[in-house]
Amino acid sequence: MNNNNVLKKEFSKKDVQRARNIITGDTTSRTTEGVGYSKKYDHHIEGDIWEENGRKWTIKNGVKQNITKMDKFKKMGKIPLFCPECGTLMKKELDKKVFPAYQKCFDCIIDHEAELFRQGKSKDHFDKLRNSHIHNAMKGFEDFMKDRMTESNDNYVTEAGDVENWRGGKSKEELTHELQEGLEFLEGLKVK
Ligand SMILES: [Zn+2]
């Protein structure tokens, strides 16, 4: 790291601390380390992994994140641009809806179904498998959403100085609605 980068880093850390103090209402707190510096404002930078209150944290893309949550979020909340199985762009609304349950695009699910039939698997066997996949996806989705709901809407300051939080600024009502909608949709995919 050259001197210029070191300077920039120091500058942005101070700015972040200042923003943090404003958010926590602690406007009298010192923004540099020294006497009176509160330990709870320990600085961490991108990629650091540390433990706090028995949980593991990191900073990714400038945002303080709980590692367990981030993994869950990746699994449940984020939908990649391309299907991991066939590599096509998942642009259909249906792709986005089935992805959390199947981890692949809608066309791949159809292909997979056809393959199972070709292999002579009974419809009953296949139906049970499908319903159990959906059941697991519903459970996972519910856990993930409930976790988001119980999470406080506390703000974290990114290294860029943006204020973000886990709920993404959503109210409990909005999240409850999202959960309900998601569960109903997944339930509708089950073979009756
Ligand atoms: Zn696919």
Side-chain angles (χ1 to χ4, degrees):
M1 205 187 280
N2 64 36
N3 282 341
N4 195 28
N5 282 343
V6 172
L7 273 176
K8 259 193 216 155
K9 184 127 261 169
E10 284 309 306
F11 178 72
S12 83
K13 274 162 85 176
K14 258 190 219 171
D15 280 354
V16 167
Q17 189 55 56
R18 195 170 296 122
R20 248 179 217 158
N21 292 343
I22 291 164
I23 284 151
T24 55
D26 192 4
T27 48
T28 58
S29 170
R30 295 168 60 110
T31 54
T32 50
E33 299 182 41
V35 183
Y37 180 76
S38 162
K39 200 177 177 307
K40 68 178 173 175
Y41 295 139
D42 268 357
H43 285 312
H44 293 282
I45 57 161
E46 184 80 15
D48 278 3
I49 293 172
W50 72 96
E51 282 208 25
E52 207 178 293
N53 306 321
R55 296 168 108 178
K56 263 193 181 168
W57 298 85
T58 189
I59 291 182
K60 191 146 168 46
N61 300 325
V63 190
K64 179 183 169 185
Q65 311 197 29
N66 180 283
I67 286 178
T68 326
K69 278 217 177 76
M70 199 162 63
D71 289 347
K72 256 196 227 170
F73 190 71
K74 265 193 204 145
K75 261 199 224 128
M76 297 304 303
K78 284 247 172 75
I79 293 162
L81 214 48
F82 300 98
C83 168
E85 199 151 305
C86 70
T88 57
L89 182 66
M90 296 200 291
K91 57 183 186 302
K92 294 197 290 283
E93 200 52 37
L94 213 47
D95 291 336
K96 289 174 187 120
K97 283 183 167 166
V98 297
F99 188 83
Y102 292 91
Q103 304 289 307
K104 52 184 145 190
C105 76
F106 188 72
D107 288 344
C108 276
I109 295 166
I110 302 295
D111 286 352
H112 183 62
E113 288 184 8
E115 183 54 36
L116 282 174
F117 280 119
R118 266 199 295 279
Q119 287 170 9
K121 296 270 194 275
S122 74
K123 188 176 180 324
D124 189 48
H125 167 90
F126 173 71
D127 286 350
K128 274 190 192 136
L129 196 69
R130 176 189 171 109
N131 282 358
S132 98
H133 278 162
I134 295 168
H135 176 78
N136 289 341
M138 285 170 81
K139 224 183 147 330
F141 180 59
E142 193 166 8
D143 286 350
F144 169 72
M145 290 300 277
K146 288 207 164 136
D147 213 21
R148 277 176 83 189
M149 277 179 226
T150 52
E151 186 68 20
S152 81
N153 232 348
D154 283 354
N155 296 315
Y156 302 119
V157 183
T158 72
E159 282 196 300
D162 297 326
V163 180
E164 297 188 8
N165 62 60
W166 270 108
R167 281 197 201 159
K170 285 184 176 166
S171 69
K172 216 164 183 163
E173 288 68 31
E174 282 172 299
L175 289 175
T176 308
H177 182 72
E178 262 182 42
L179 170 64
Q180 230 21 65
E181 248 186 9
L183 288 182
E184 272 166 33
F185 176 79
L186 288 168
E187 182 63 40
L189 289 176
K190 280 188 184 175
V191 186
K192 305 287 178 221

